[in-house]
Amino acid sequence: MAGTVSLGQALNRALRDALAADDAVVVYGEDVGPLGGVFRVTDGLTAEFGEERCFDSPLAEAGIVGTAVGMAMYGLRPVVEMQFDAFAYPAFEQVVSHVAKMRNRTRGRLELPLVIRIPYGGGIGAVEHHADSSEAYWAHTPGLRVVTPATPSDGYSMLREAIDSPDPVVFLEPKRRYWSKEEAVLPVRTAPMDRAVVRRSGDDVTLLAYGPMVQTALEAAAAAAEEGTSVEVVDLRSLSPFDDATAAASVRRTGRAVVVHEASGFAGYGAEVAARLTEQCFHFLEAPVLRVCGRDVPYPPPGLEEHHLPSVDRILDAFDRLQWERTWTGAPAPAPAPAEVGA
């Protein structure tokens, strides 16, 4: 496949190639069979590989993940879909108690080559339970790899690598970017899935993002450049494990950092990133590490989500708060008002 490829098409091709390459791979979940999934990521797979390789499951997320644990223990490589981010919560106990711990519990005798695909995030006009960013729950759980692609090429490469991994992988797919396109030739292999990559070089500030926010970060960097600020954009890609080397190297060079994600700010994933950067780059920082996040409220109705999600303007506002020498007076910054928490 060569030419303009969307993220959804790249993921579909990755699943197709994985099914063709290894008879142990099976794909299942709610409506992923003949329908091809809500977002058509599994379109055509049942017709090509049959109902024993790509099939519909009952509407029971705990059952989907629980059966996948058994399949992986007996030599299969299941790839299961949770359909929507918040639909994964009924399977939380299975993931945390069994998926994440099986290899450690058996002292390495049992690998668990299992991929849990979760379309996540907002931006598509959906209601609550269809627009969560729950990455912090999964990344907090030892024993899980948690990754999220931002481009079609990464979508293909990282999903193939996740399926090949001997460890369980929570594969977060930014649903608002399923239709984002780029020129690509598939199959393709990009950087290893546990590595961050620099999407845009810059000198003044490092902007760290992942998944759906990478495109927004690049747009903010372009807008900042028009105002004379050079922004380096780092796509984290892997949330667990975290690529400290790439992130810290960028921040040590620029001296300033902003972390952006859709999830609410309080105890969100950005807090971990900010803490790690502060610990590793303290003597290089010219200003505190800032976060631009979703508001600390349940996901709002579709008509209000643009006010909830981080935007280019909110990122540019954060840049203005980075204590630049030309504006910094040494006076302590005012405490944020309650409404600004998570801004």
Side-chain angles (χ1 to χ4, degrees), residues 9 19 30 34 69 72-74 78 80 88 109 123 136 144 151 154 159 177 180 207 222 224 238 267 284 320 326 337:
Q9 290 172 324
L19 285 162
E30 298 168 9
V69 171
M73 290 172 64
Y74 280 88
V80 299
R109 290 192 294 272
L144 298 176
T151 68
D154 266 359
L159 185 53
R177 305 302 183 193
S180 297
L207 182 57
S238 175
F284 297 85
D320 289 340
R326 61 179 178 269

Side-chain angles (χ1 to χ4, degrees), residues 226-240:
E226 297 180 359
E227 300 177 359
T229 302
S230 177
V231 180
E232 181 149 296
V233 177
V234 176
D235 178 357
L236 296 178
R237 299 171 83 244
S238 175
L239 307 186
S240 181

Side-chain angles (χ1 to χ4, degrees), residues 13-259:
R13 174 64 185 273
L15 292 169
R16 175 175 280 105
D17 288 354
L19 285 162
D22 187 349
D23 290 340
V25 176
V26 294
V27 176
Y28 67 100
E30 298 168 9
D31 297 324
V32 306
L35 178 65
V38 172
F39 299 101
R40 301 299 185 265
V41 173
T42 56
D43 187 43
L45 300 183
T46 298
E48 183 171 349
F49 296 98
E51 294 184 352
E52 293 185 353
R53 303 286 307 285
C54 181
F55 53 90
D56 291 334
S57 71
L59 304 182
E61 286 78 14
I64 294 171
V65 176
T67 55
V69 171
M71 289 181 182
M73 290 172 64
Y74 280 88
L76 295 178
R77 290 183 174 271
V79 182
V80 299
E81 180 184 301
M82 293 288 97
Q83 195 173 74
F84 283 95
D85 29 59
F87 291 8
Y89 300 152
F92 190 80
E93 192 276 334
Q94 288 284 349
V95 177
V96 171
S97 296
H98 303 296
V99 174
K101 294 180 172 62
M102 187 62 67
R103 191 169 190 176
N104 183 71
R105 182 183 299 149
T106 62
R107 298 185 181 182
R109 290 192 294 272
L110 277 178
E111 296 178 344
L112 214 65
L114 160 63
V115 177
I116 302 173
R117 293 180 44 242
I118 304 178
Y120 82 116
I124 64 168
V127 295
E128 63 178 13
H129 299 111
H130 298 74
D132 275 14
S133 294
S134 47
E135 60 268 23
Y137 300 145
W138 312 120
H140 180 70
T141 307
L144 298 176
R145 289 181 178 268
V146 184
V147 302
T148 178
T151 68
S153 292
D154 266 359
Y156 179 92
S157 180
M158 292 170 69
L159 185 53
R160 289 299 306 274
E161 189 174 351
I163 295 171
D164 291 340
S165 173
D167 298 313
V169 179
V170 175
F171 195 89
L172 299 171
E173 300 172 4
K175 68 171 79 76
R176 70 190 295 187
R177 305 302 183 193
Y178 274 139
W179 302 275
S180 297
K181 298 180 178 180
E182 70 174 359
E183 291 293 321
V185 178
L186 304 181
V188 64
R189 287 296 175 131
T190 58
M193 69 177 182
D194 60 352
R195 294 290 183 267
V197 297
V198 175
R199 296 290 180 195
R200 178 183 175 124
S201 297
D203 300 315
D204 297 330
V205 55
T206 298
L207 182 57
L208 303 106
Y210 53 88
M213 281 290 104
V214 171
Q215 181 58 42
T216 306
L218 289 169
E219 293 169 2
E226 297 180 359
E227 300 177 359
T229 302
S230 177
V231 180
E232 181 149 296
V233 177
V234 176
D235 178 357
L236 296 178
R237 299 171 83 244
S238 175
L239 307 186
S240 181
F242 184 79
D243 183 0
D244 290 284
T246 301
S250 176
V251 174
R252 287 170 182 165
R253 191 169 53 77
T254 65
R256 291 174 171 83
V258 175
V259 188

